[in-house]
Amino acid sequence: MTAAEKHQVSRTAANPPAGSRLNGRAGIRDVAAAAGVSITTVSDALNGKGRLPDATRSHVRAVAERLGYRPSAAARTLRTGKSGLIGLTVTTYGEEPFTFTEFAYFAEMARAATSAALARGYALVILPATSRHSAFDIWSNVALDGTVVIDPSDHDPVVTELVRSGIPVVSDGRPAGSLPVTAWVDNDHEAAVRGLLDHLAESGARRIGLLTGTSTDTYTRLSTSAYLDWCERVGQDPVVEAYPAHDPCAGAVAADRLLARPDRPDAVYGLFDPNGTDLLAAARRYGMRVPDDLLLVCCSESTVYASTEPPITTLSLKPGRIGNTVIQLLIDAIEGTGSGRPVEQVMPTDLIVRTSSQRRPVRTTVSAPRPLPPE
Amino acid sequence: MTAAEKHQVSRTAANPPAGSRLNGRAGIRDVAAAAGVSITTVSDALNGKGRLPDATRSHVRAVAERLGYRPSAAARTLRTGKSGLIGLTVTTYGEEPFTFTEFAYFAEMARAATSAALARGYALVILPATSRHSAFDIWSNVALDGTVVIDPSDHDPVVTELVRSGIPVVSDGRPAGSLPVTAWVDNDHEAAVRGLLDHLAESGARRIGLLTGTSTDTYTRLSTSAYLDWCERVGQDPVVEAYPAHDPCAGAVAADRLLARPDRPDAVYGLFDPNGTDLLAAARRYGMRVPDDLLLVCCSESTVYASTEPPITTLSLKPGRIGNTVIQLLIDAIEGTGSGRPVEQVMPTDLIVRTSSQRRPVRTTVSAPRPLPPE
DNA sequence: ATGAAAGCGCTAACAT
DNA sequence: ATGTTAGCGCTTTCAT
């Protein structure tokens, strides 16, 4: 018996009368047999392809339904080369995905990305950014149509590898070095910092301090240099404290250090999410009132700053908008429909002005704080 | 030419001399040809199977490396029936995945689950829980080895369908109704509520109010009934306000209602994450001091409650521990190694006692609040 | 110790 | 309008 003949036999409907595949689950051939058509017709009917009469289509669909037929995603992926899966990298510190400070940002960004991907028929797979080793295995164990990288590190081997094998990569955060991403989306961090420093100065700040990080990622670098440039422009001596932002405890200590300096600032911008509460607590310890003695702004996506005492002005990077844009760009690249959109997209930020950064009576339109009870 | 002959030809190394596959990427046959061995040997060498001499193994590996060979995940999945992918469902409200109130819990749970899965060689795919329709498509478009369901709703068709087709499902939260999950993990919500009500009573609470939700999920139901039981036991009239927890604004309003009642409570437990700040703000509006006039506890995973003014006592459900356990249970089921572990696991909660729930001087070992500055 | 061949379940090109 | 057939790239018996 030749291979072809054997083939023939195993594909004939003469086998066990449908419904009894070794697997237990019905396959496309069971449906074909039960519906009295060929497997092509089944495939076409189920996928809306071909030009079948509606009668055939609905009949096949009914039979498939009755048999509880579920197409094999693996087979389809192998055949079409498309998996409908998009990788989402998360930076890992040690064993843990996500950093402490990125948490709220990441969660919101991922939420939006998930939603946007689902709306276009894709699902996200959470994957670790390159770690020491072994992470590579998991990357080659999943068939991806594309990948989103959050805060790509300089020469990330995974990104390079993916791009080299023709898989589109879109990053959240402009790529450092010469990393060859397909497209990227980022905030205009420098403009954001300039804007908020101007806002603080307008509110009467004479010496603005900066609570920043010791790491060299783009966000930290751009924000810090924008601060230094601003200081130089207005002729203020920089007052900077830096700390390892991935350490959940270091922030409070650094906030304390900043307010303990001889050149104590009368306003502070904190680059990371928890800095607002850290600084508020530090101010209390030093008997400083916010906003009377100290103006405060921090970069955060957390809604808690709307109801702290006092409410704290925050810079929002709008991670939801970024997540959505990243996904649109990526899917456009995957499907080859993206010629229209620019591949480098700079997104605006939102300064949500609250009590902590204003010495004069509130008259902003954004997030007006609730009136305080009489003291 | 018979099918078998053609087969033969296309598989011989006589074709384009390796490296020039249509695809662009090297396949297993390119590696075999370049290494001068059969594809079987390549497969075995790369996967550590078979009994090959170390020389062959390392030679094949070197060649594969040189060619930049990446095995096709789709082909492997089709062949082995294992994808290494685990679904993670998120409840969707309207278009958006996650609810507002579940946010921090979910983020932490997902983080732990991701980490645990990765450590065992699996990756998580974020998938929507059953929505009206269309969600089904995405489910059958991805090959899953198993699925984690967070807060399964009563008779969820996706869960039923998955279990029916032999895919293990482990839920976070005990399944309502007769949902046939493989295993589940949940907190002992009733014990948690009893414990925290006792704690409030010990701190001097005479009338404890409850801020709860209007939805009928297990968490809300169990927590509320535990509260009612406790009230009955100690002879207190229940003071309850319920609101639609998925509405980000409704919480503040409900907190206000609770404190505006004629039978105003002198202590409140809020079931949802934002309730702490909501209640704190409401207390301020009514001129109530915390903890002097009002004792406060809320269920939250957020660290901000450590540095609010005053710090707020929280009940943590330990989502990280749950996420990890859920994944272990699921992978055990997938790999058939789970006979040891119980399939229903109740996990303890942590009451993190802070200033807001204590009238007497702090003398707890947990999370001692920082000393306040002299007024 | 190594290789040949079968085939996972599907889709698409090509008949009819 | 529907059916036949050839693979997608791998793993896995089974022969040698």
Side-chain angles (χ1 to χ4, degrees):
Chain A
M1 184 190 268
T2 71
E5 281 161 359
K6 206 166 167 187
H7 220 74
Q8 192 77 8
V9 169
S10 77
R11 296 201 166 181
T12 301
N15 300 33
S20 63
R21 290 191 62 73
L22 312 84
N23 199 339
R25 290 177 49 187
I28 196 173
R29 283 188 294 271
D30 299 299
V31 178
V37 296
S38 79
I39 59 169
T40 307
T41 305
V42 174
S43 179
D44 286 350
L46 262 29
N47 296 328
K49 303 271 179 82
R51 298 172 307 270
L52 305 175
D54 283 355
T56 311
R57 213 177 279 278
S58 53
H59 173 229
V60 169
R61 284 187 171 153
V63 172
E65 175 83 6
R66 183 163 57 72
L67 263 44
Y69 168 72
R70 296 280 151 225
S72 151
R76 172 182 289 155
T77 299
L78 178 57
R79 183 63 236 240
T80 61
K82 256 80 196 76
S83 65
L85 257 23
I86 289 175
L88 178 70
T89 63
V90 304
T91 314
T92 52
Y93 275 88
E95 284 303 291
E96 302 303 320
F98 321 115
T99 69
F100 182 74
T101 51
E102 283 169 354
F103 205 96
Y105 176 92
F106 176 83
E108 174 61 13
M109 189 274 185
R111 192 201 51 71
T114 302
S115 189
L118 252 18
R120 293 187 66 172
Y122 290 77
L124 296 188
V125 184
I126 308 174
L127 259 12
T130 336
S131 63
R132 309 266 172 283
H133 52 287
S134 80
F136 241 89
D137 292 329
I138 196 80
W139 276 93
S140 48
N141 262 335
V142 34
L144 297 176
D145 289 348
T147 297
V148 172
V149 181
I150 299 179
D151 280 329
S153 60
D154 309 26
H155 319 294
D156 187 323
V158 169
V159 172
T160 311
E161 165 70 15
L162 287 169
V163 171
R164 207 170 54 78
S165 43
I167 297 175
V169 175
V170 177
S171 72
D172 168 6
R174 58 204 91 192
S178 54
L179 208 63
V181 298
T182 310
W184 59 256
V185 181
D186 203 350
N187 296 110
D188 190 346
H189 294 300
E190 289 160 299
V193 170
R194 279 195 302 270
L196 108 223
L197 293 174
D198 286 342
H199 164 74
L200 285 171
E202 275 165 30
S203 294
R206 310 298 299 268
R207 179 156 50 212
I208 306 176
L210 183 76
L211 199 49
T212 183
T214 48
S215 58
T216 61
D217 59 291
T218 320
Y219 167 67
T220 306
R221 223 176 44 237
L222 290 181
S223 300
T224 305
S225 72
Y227 166 83
L228 294 174
D229 290 350
W230 187 90
C231 283
E232 180 154 350
R233 184 158 60 75
V234 304
Q236 186 213 296
D237 286 335
V239 186
V240 180
E241 287 291 337
Y243 73 98
H246 53 87
D247 177 343
C249 300
V253 178
D256 233 275
R257 273 207 315 268
L258 191 59
L259 299 189
R261 292 173 61 130
D263 55 343
R264 172 191 283 184
D266 63 351
V268 177
Y269 173 50
L271 248 58
F272 304 107
D273 204 289
N275 290 165
T277 43
D278 290 344
L279 286 162
L280 209 50
R284 271 204 298 274
R285 282 193 292 278
Y286 287 99
M288 299 175 81
R289 291 161 306 164
V290 175
D292 309 79
D293 305 318
L294 184 70
L295 296 167
L296 236 47
V297 176
C298 77
C299 183
S300 167
E301 309 308 328
S302 175
T303 54
V304 303
Y305 289 122
S307 47
T308 48
E309 174 54 28
I312 295 179
T313 296
T314 54
L315 177 73
S316 168
L317 303 178
K318 297 300 199 173
R321 224 145 57 179
I322 298 215
N324 181 67
T325 307
V326 161
I327 290 295
Q328 304 306 343
L329 248 24
L330 183 58
I331 297 181
D332 286 349
I334 291 170
E335 299 180 349
T337 53
S339 39
R341 258 181 266 247
V343 294
E344 300 185 357
Q345 217 150 302
V346 177
M347 314 279 291
T349 54
D350 264 20
L351 187 66
I352 303 168
V353 178
R354 300 198 185 93
T355 314
S356 75
S357 67
Q358 301 182 115
R359 292 232 173 91
R360 281 155 301 180
V362 176
R363 45 185 160 83
T364 174
T365 55
V366 191
S367 271
R370 296 176 183 125
L372 296 174
E375 291 285 298
Chain B
M1 185 188 267
T2 71
E5 282 161 355
K6 207 164 168 190
H7 220 74
Q8 191 77 9
V9 168
S10 76
R11 295 201 167 182
T12 301
N15 299 36
S20 62
R21 291 189 62 74
L22 311 83
N23 198 337
R25 290 177 48 187
I28 195 172
R29 283 188 295 272
D30 299 298
V31 178
V37 297
S38 78
I39 59 169
T40 308
T41 304
V42 174
S43 179
D44 285 350
L46 261 29
N47 296 330
K49 303 272 179 80
R51 297 172 307 270
L52 306 175
D54 283 355
T56 311
R57 212 176 278 279
S58 53
H59 173 229
V60 169
R61 285 190 169 150
V63 171
E65 174 83 6
R66 182 162 59 72
L67 263 44
Y69 168 71
R70 297 278 152 227
S72 151
R76 172 178 295 159
T77 299
L78 178 57
R79 184 61 235 238
T80 63
K82 255 82 197 74
S83 66
L85 257 24
I86 290 175
L88 178 69
T89 63
V90 304
T91 313
T92 52
Y93 274 88
E95 284 304 289
E96 302 303 319
F98 321 115
T99 70
F100 183 74
T101 50
E102 284 170 351
F103 205 96
Y105 177 93
F106 176 83
E108 174 62 12
M109 189 275 184
R111 193 200 53 69
T114 302
S115 189
L118 252 18
R120 292 188 67 170
Y122 290 76
L124 297 188
V125 184
I126 308 175
L127 259 12
T130 337
S131 63
R132 309 267 172 282
H133 52 287
S134 81
F136 242 89
D137 292 329
I138 196 78
W139 277 93
S140 48
N141 262 335
V142 34
L144 297 176
D145 289 348
T147 297
V148 172
V149 181
I150 299 180
D151 279 329
S153 59
D154 308 26
H155 320 294
D156 188 322
V158 169
V159 172
T160 311
E161 164 70 15
L162 288 169
V163 171
R164 210 171 52 80
S165 43
I167 296 175
V169 176
V170 177
S171 71
D172 169 5
R174 59 205 89 191
S178 56
L179 209 62
V181 299
T182 310
W184 59 258
V185 181
D186 202 350
N187 296 111
D188 190 345
H189 294 299
E190 288 160 299
V193 170
R194 279 194 302 269
L196 113 218
L197 293 174
D198 286 342
H199 163 74
L200 285 171
E202 275 167 28
S203 294
R206 311 297 299 269
R207 178 156 49 210
I208 305 177
L210 183 76
L211 199 48
T212 184
T214 48
S215 58
T216 61
D217 57 293
T218 321
Y219 167 66
T220 305
R221 222 177 44 239
L222 290 181
S223 300
T224 305
S225 72
Y227 166 84
L228 294 173
D229 290 350
W230 187 89
C231 283
E232 179 154 351
R233 184 158 60 76
V234 304
Q236 187 212 296
D237 285 334
V239 186
V240 180
E241 287 291 338
Y243 73 99
H246 54 88
D247 178 342
C249 300
V253 177
D256 233 275
R257 273 206 318 266
L258 192 58
L259 299 190
R261 291 172 62 129
D263 55 343
R264 172 190 282 185
D266 63 352
V268 176
Y269 172 51
L271 248 58
F272 304 106
D273 203 288
N275 290 165
T277 44
D278 290 343
L279 286 162
L280 210 49
R284 271 204 297 276
R285 283 194 290 279
Y286 287 99
M288 298 176 81
R289 291 162 307 164
V290 175
D292 309 78
D293 305 319
L294 184 70
L295 296 167
L296 237 47
V297 175
C298 77
C299 183
S300 167
E301 309 308 327
S302 175
T303 54
V304 303
Y305 289 121
S307 46
T308 47
E309 172 55 29
I312 296 179
T313 296
T314 54
L315 177 72
S316 168
L317 303 178
K318 296 299 199 175
R321 226 146 56 179
I322 297 213
N324 181 67
T325 307
V326 162
I327 290 295
Q328 304 306 342
L329 247 25
L330 183 58
I331 297 182
D332 286 350
I334 290 169
E335 299 180 348
T337 53
S339 38
R341 258 180 267 248
V343 294
E344 300 184 357
Q345 218 151 300
V346 177
M347 314 279 292
T349 54
D350 264 21
L351 187 65
I352 303 170
V353 178
R354 300 199 184 94
T355 313
S356 75
S357 67
Q358 301 182 113
R359 293 229 174 93
R360 280 155 301 178
V362 177
R363 45 185 159 85
T364 172
T365 54
V366 190
S367 270
R370 296 176 183 125
L372 295 175
E375 292 284 296

PDB file of all heavy atoms in Angstrom, chain A residues 103-115:
ATOM      1  N   PHE A 103       3.756  49.471  38.414  1.00  0.00           N
ATOM      2  CA  PHE A 103       2.574  48.668  38.605  1.00  0.00           C
ATOM      3  C   PHE A 103       1.274  49.255  38.051  1.00  0.00           C
ATOM      4  O   PHE A 103       0.639  48.664  37.175  1.00  0.00           O
ATOM      5  CB  PHE A 103       2.419  48.363  40.089  1.00  0.00           C
ATOM      6  CG  PHE A 103       1.653  47.130  40.341  1.00  0.00           C
ATOM      7  CD1 PHE A 103       2.309  45.932  40.566  1.00  0.00           C
ATOM      8  CD2 PHE A 103       0.275  47.153  40.320  1.00  0.00           C
ATOM      9  CE1 PHE A 103       1.593  44.780  40.768  1.00  0.00           C
ATOM     10  CE2 PHE A 103      -0.447  45.999  40.526  1.00  0.00           C
ATOM     11  CZ  PHE A 103       0.216  44.812  40.749  1.00  0.00           C
ATOM     12  N   ALA A 104       0.894  50.423  38.555  1.00  0.00           N
ATOM     13  CA  ALA A 104      -0.388  50.990  38.143  1.00  0.00           C
ATOM     14  C   ALA A 104      -0.375  51.345  36.662  1.00  0.00           C
ATOM     15  O   ALA A 104      -1.341  51.114  35.931  1.00  0.00           O
ATOM     16  CB  ALA A 104      -0.724  52.224  38.977  1.00  0.00           C
ATOM     17  N   TYR A 105       0.748  51.881  36.237  1.00  0.00           N
ATOM     18  CA  TYR A 105       0.893  52.222  34.825  1.00  0.00           C
ATOM     19  C   TYR A 105       0.716  50.973  33.984  1.00  0.00           C
ATOM     20  O   TYR A 105      -0.065  50.928  33.040  1.00  0.00           O
ATOM     21  CB  TYR A 105       2.273  52.829  34.569  1.00  0.00           C
ATOM     22  CG  TYR A 105       2.521  53.126  33.119  1.00  0.00           C
ATOM     23  CD1 TYR A 105       2.215  54.373  32.595  1.00  0.00           C
ATOM     24  CD2 TYR A 105       3.039  52.153  32.262  1.00  0.00           C
ATOM     25  CE1 TYR A 105       2.423  54.650  31.257  1.00  0.00           C
ATOM     26  CE2 TYR A 105       3.247  52.419  30.925  1.00  0.00           C
ATOM     27  CZ  TYR A 105       2.940  53.667  30.424  1.00  0.00           C
ATOM     28  OH  TYR A 105       3.131  53.921  29.101  1.00  0.00           O
ATOM     29  N   PHE A 106       1.453  49.958  34.355  1.00  0.00           N
ATOM     30  CA  PHE A 106       1.411  48.720  33.582  1.00  0.00           C
ATOM     31  C   PHE A 106       0.016  48.111  33.552  1.00  0.00           C
ATOM     32  O   PHE A 106      -0.466  47.677  32.508  1.00  0.00           O
ATOM     33  CB  PHE A 106       2.393  47.710  34.153  1.00  0.00           C
ATOM     34  CG  PHE A 106       2.313  46.406  33.443  1.00  0.00           C
ATOM     35  CD1 PHE A 106       2.990  46.223  32.252  1.00  0.00           C
ATOM     36  CD2 PHE A 106       1.516  45.387  33.920  1.00  0.00           C
ATOM     37  CE1 PHE A 106       2.882  45.036  31.559  1.00  0.00           C
ATOM     38  CE2 PHE A 106       1.399  44.197  33.224  1.00  0.00           C
ATOM     39  CZ  PHE A 106       2.092  44.019  32.044  1.00  0.00           C
ATOM     40  N   ALA A 107      -0.602  48.089  34.710  1.00  0.00           N
ATOM     41  CA  ALA A 107      -1.920  47.471  34.791  1.00  0.00           C
ATOM     42  C   ALA A 107      -2.906  48.163  33.854  1.00  0.00           C
ATOM     43  O   ALA A 107      -3.653  47.517  33.119  1.00  0.00           O
ATOM     44  CB  ALA A 107      -2.431  47.515  36.231  1.00  0.00           C
ATOM     45  N   GLU A 108      -2.878  49.470  33.849  1.00  0.00           N
ATOM     46  CA  GLU A 108      -3.799  50.230  33.019  1.00  0.00           C
ATOM     47  C   GLU A 108      -3.460  50.084  31.537  1.00  0.00           C
ATOM     48  O   GLU A 108      -4.336  49.926  30.681  1.00  0.00           O
ATOM     49  CB  GLU A 108      -3.748  51.709  33.437  1.00  0.00           C
ATOM     50  CG  GLU A 108      -4.558  52.656  32.567  1.00  0.00           C
ATOM     51  CD  GLU A 108      -6.041  52.336  32.569  1.00  0.00           C
ATOM     52  OE1 GLU A 108      -6.487  51.542  33.420  1.00  0.00           O
ATOM     53  OE2 GLU A 108      -6.744  52.881  31.697  1.00  0.00           O
ATOM     54  N   MET A 109      -2.189  50.110  31.256  1.00  0.00           N
ATOM     55  CA  MET A 109      -1.747  49.954  29.874  1.00  0.00           C
ATOM     56  C   MET A 109      -2.144  48.569  29.356  1.00  0.00           C
ATOM     57  O   MET A 109      -2.669  48.432  28.241  1.00  0.00           O
ATOM     58  CB  MET A 109      -0.219  50.138  29.837  1.00  0.00           C
ATOM     59  CG  MET A 109       0.374  50.214  28.452  1.00  0.00           C
ATOM     60  SD  MET A 109       0.720  48.560  27.800  1.00  0.00           S
ATOM     61  CE  MET A 109       1.519  48.948  26.270  1.00  0.00           C
ATOM     62  N   ALA A 110      -1.908  47.561  30.160  1.00  0.00           N
ATOM     63  CA  ALA A 110      -2.234  46.202  29.758  1.00  0.00           C
ATOM     64  C   ALA A 110      -3.742  46.024  29.584  1.00  0.00           C
ATOM     65  O   ALA A 110      -4.193  45.332  28.663  1.00  0.00           O
ATOM     66  CB  ALA A 110      -1.706  45.208  30.792  1.00  0.00           C
ATOM     67  N   ARG A 111      -4.499  46.676  30.437  1.00  0.00           N
ATOM     68  CA  ARG A 111      -5.949  46.585  30.331  1.00  0.00           C
ATOM     69  C   ARG A 111      -6.413  47.109  28.977  1.00  0.00           C
ATOM     70  O   ARG A 111      -7.165  46.466  28.251  1.00  0.00           O
ATOM     71  CB  ARG A 111      -6.612  47.376  31.453  1.00  0.00           C
ATOM     72  CG  ARG A 111      -8.098  47.117  31.608  1.00  0.00           C
ATOM     73  CD  ARG A 111      -8.779  48.260  32.355  1.00  0.00           C
ATOM     74  NE  ARG A 111      -8.466  49.557  31.794  1.00  0.00           N
ATOM     75  CZ  ARG A 111      -8.920  50.000  30.624  1.00  0.00           C
ATOM     76  NH1 ARG A 111      -9.671  49.240  29.874  1.00  0.00           N
ATOM     77  NH2 ARG A 111      -8.577  51.205  30.193  1.00  0.00           N
ATOM     78  N   ALA A 112      -5.909  48.290  28.633  1.00  0.00           N
ATOM     79  CA  ALA A 112      -6.299  48.901  27.368  1.00  0.00           C
ATOM     80  C   ALA A 112      -5.816  48.073  26.186  1.00  0.00           C
ATOM     81  O   ALA A 112      -6.539  47.880  25.202  1.00  0.00           O
ATOM     82  CB  ALA A 112      -5.743  50.317  27.296  1.00  0.00           C
ATOM     83  N   ALA A 113      -4.605  47.576  26.286  1.00  0.00           N
ATOM     84  CA  ALA A 113      -4.047  46.776  25.193  1.00  0.00           C
ATOM     85  C   ALA A 113      -4.858  45.490  25.005  1.00  0.00           C
ATOM     86  O   ALA A 113      -5.184  45.105  23.874  1.00  0.00           O
ATOM     87  CB  ALA A 113      -2.581  46.443  25.479  1.00  0.00           C
ATOM     88  N   THR A 114      -5.185  44.850  26.102  1.00  0.00           N
ATOM     89  CA  THR A 114      -5.986  43.631  26.050  1.00  0.00           C
ATOM     90  C   THR A 114      -7.298  43.896  25.330  1.00  0.00           C
ATOM     91  O   THR A 114      -7.694  43.161  24.415  1.00  0.00           O
ATOM     92  CB  THR A 114      -6.307  43.138  27.471  1.00  0.00           C
ATOM     93  OG1 THR A 114      -5.089  42.906  28.162  1.00  0.00           O
ATOM     94  CG2 THR A 114      -7.118  41.862  27.428  1.00  0.00           C
ATOM     95  N   SER A 115      -7.931  44.954  25.751  1.00  0.00           N
ATOM     96  CA  SER A 115      -9.222  45.320  25.198  1.00  0.00           C
ATOM     97  C   SER A 115      -9.126  45.604  23.699  1.00  0.00           C
ATOM     98  O   SER A 115      -9.921  45.100  22.903  1.00  0.00           O
ATOM     99  CB  SER A 115      -9.713  46.552  25.953  1.00  0.00           C
ATOM    100  OG  SER A 115     -11.026  46.855  25.617  1.00  0.00           O
TER     101      SER A 115
END
